[in-house]
Amino acid sequence: MNVDTQKVLKTLNPRKVWIPVLLGIGIVVAMMLFDDNLTADKLLLISHAGGGSLLLALLIILCRDIGYIYRIRIVTGKQLSWMSSVYVILLWEFASAVTPSVVGGTAVAIFILWKEGIKLGQALAYAMLTAILDNMFFVVAAPIAILLSGGQAFPRLEAANLQFGGSLEVLFYISYGLITLYTLVMSLALFSKPRAFKWLLIKATSIGFLRRWRHGAVNRGNEIIMASRQFRGRGWEFWAKIALATLFVWIARYFTLNAVISAFADLTLSEHLLVFGRQIVMWITMLISPTPGSSGFAEGLFPQFFGAFLLDYTLVANILWRMVTYYPYLILGALVLPRWLQRVFLQKNP
């Protein structure tokens, strides 16, 4: 397996933070300009936010990141130190924030793990495993959320926006289908039939117009076989730990918004569960966004899914939600990246 260092470093470019920032700000400004009911007084509603709920949101984010750090350390068999695990997670989140959601930061994660001293084949296996675990959460949680919501997981829109509402459902089911297919194929390839997966890749690239990718298909097949060897003989304790860690980090990720909304509105238990379920649906829809970190796309979807709970507070809650869950990783990544590059290129020789 080869790693295109220049391509990865081009992705891990602190200057790229401006692209998603400007997209997000642009959407928010547009929403403000086209909202005839928006006044200066309404912009000051942020001062009415419950401070305790916002502190809770920040605490949940911290706990979620600790969960990610713990999981990557367990997945790598504790080959990473705690400090290395912190670097990996912060830069992985940064890579996800500056690349389109449909692309993700997995390729960058492989490079980061490799530069932290993990063998390349192992780095591939670990990155693939975490991606599969995360996708499995979506695949299992989404139907549960839809069933338990009593048909309310998709927002009920005004008559003028019914067409857009239908588009939301279409986007969701397309994204969910793609995630399910990817998870099924990659799970079989990594855990059960790696050689069969390689054979399928080779057969597929035997077709005339696909032959140009045959060499790459052979390489990808060899990488899958190499990666699958990393998890043979792992006991139930290993799988239980990483499964529970995955469940914890995603529940924490979603409950962050519950805390933000609670700063402006009193939610009942059933409403909390509905907000949680709608986040799963919205997140899956966002996964096919072409923008970096779903910037702009996320801000645009937020009022459709949660405006009914927030009413006049929707815009300020939208801004706060992205301020605590997205933009900090752009800033932290841009600050941490130069130090990490100096650390791994000048002080290490993987």
Side-chain angles (χ1 to χ4, degrees):
M1 177 183 178
N2 297 317
V3 174
D4 190 337
T5 300
Q6 292 302 317
K7 185 176 181 180
V8 171
L9 292 179
K10 187 176 180 181
T11 300
L12 288 173
N13 185 345
R15 295 180 182 178
K16 285 196 170 186
V17 302
W18 293 110
I19 299 174
V21 167
L22 291 175
L23 281 170
I25 292 175
I27 290 294
V28 170
V29 170
M31 291 165 61
M32 293 169 63
L33 291 176
F34 287 101
D35 186 351
D36 296 332
N37 297 317
L38 185 65
T39 64
D41 291 338
K42 285 187 178 181
L43 287 177
L44 295 176
L45 287 173
I46 193 170
S47 64
H48 297 290
S53 294
L54 294 180
L55 286 175
L56 177 61
L58 294 174
L59 178 61
I60 291 172
I61 291 172
L62 177 62
C63 291
R64 184 203 72 177
D65 288 343
I66 291 172
Y68 273 128
I69 291 165
Y70 170 81
R71 185 179 71 166
I72 196 63
R73 195 158 185 264
I74 296 300
V75 165
T76 60
K78 298 184 178 179
Q79 294 181 66
L80 292 176
S81 66
W82 286 109
M83 182 55 67
S84 291
S85 299
V86 170
Y87 273 116
V88 168
I89 295 305
L90 287 180
L91 293 174
W92 197 334
E93 289 286 334
F94 175 72
S96 297
V98 297
T99 55
S101 298
V102 71
V103 175
T106 303
V108 178
I110 295 169
F111 173 81
I112 297 168
L113 288 167
W114 175 53
K115 296 304 292 183
E116 282 293 343
I118 304 294
K119 292 180 180 179
L120 204 50
Q122 292 178 326
L124 170 69
Y126 300 150
M128 284 183 60
L129 176 60
T130 55
I132 289 171
L133 287 169
D134 290 338
N135 286 335
M136 280 183 175
F137 175 85
F138 299 140
V139 170
V140 174
I144 295 175
I146 292 172
L147 288 172
L148 295 182
S149 70
Q152 298 184 63
F154 295 98
R156 294 179 180 177
L157 304 178
E158 298 297 328
N161 291 323
L162 285 178
Q163 186 174 358
F164 180 62
S167 299
L168 280 179
E169 292 196 40
V170 171
L171 286 175
F172 167 80
Y173 285 114
I174 290 173
S175 183
Y176 181 79
L178 291 173
I179 293 169
T180 303
L181 179 62
Y182 170 84
T183 305
L184 177 61
V185 171
M186 296 312 297
S187 296
L188 289 173
L190 189 62
F191 304 125
S192 180
K193 304 291 184 182
R195 295 188 181 278
F197 180 74
K198 177 183 176 180
W199 180 83
L200 285 174
L201 289 178
I202 294 173
K203 283 295 182 182
T205 51
S206 297
I207 303 171
F209 69 96
L210 295 177
R211 285 179 183 169
R212 58 187 297 186
W213 290 290
R214 187 179 180 84
H215 179 70
V218 173
N219 288 337
R220 298 297 85 78
N222 290 334
E223 290 165 6
I224 290 292
I225 292 172
M226 185 190 314
S228 69
R229 294 171 183 160
Q230 304 301 320
F231 303 113
R232 291 177 184 171
R234 297 293 182 101
W236 68 268
E237 187 177 355
F238 168 81
W239 298 107
K241 284 181 178 179
I242 62 174
L244 289 173
T246 300
L247 186 64
F248 172 81
V249 297
W250 282 105
I251 289 176
R253 182 185 286 272
Y254 291 142
F255 267 119
T256 302
L257 179 55
N258 286 71
V260 171
I261 292 179
S262 295
F264 300 96
D266 293 326
L267 299 179
T268 64
L269 177 60
S270 61
E271 287 174 331
H272 270 293
L273 294 175
L274 180 56
V275 167
F276 186 88
R278 283 192 176 183
Q279 285 182 81
I280 297 174
V281 171
M282 188 177 79
W283 194 273
I284 291 175
T285 306
M286 285 164 48
L287 287 177
I288 58 175
S289 168
T291 61
S294 296
S295 188
F297 197 65
E299 288 86 351
L301 285 179
F302 184 91
Q304 311 300 329
F305 279 88
F306 308 109
F309 302 101
L310 290 158
L311 302 177
D312 288 342
Y313 296 96
T314 300
L315 182 60
V316 290
N318 191 350
I319 295 170
L320 275 176
W321 171 58
R322 292 296 270 177
M323 282 178 62
V324 300
T325 62
Y326 178 64
Y327 295 112
Y329 295 103
L330 291 174
I331 297 169
L332 285 172
L335 293 175
V336 167
L337 181 60
R339 179 174 293 186
W340 180 78
L341 291 174
Q342 182 180 25
R343 177 172 175 265
V344 298
F345 281 101
L346 299 182
Q347 300 177 17
K348 287 190 176 186
N349 276 312

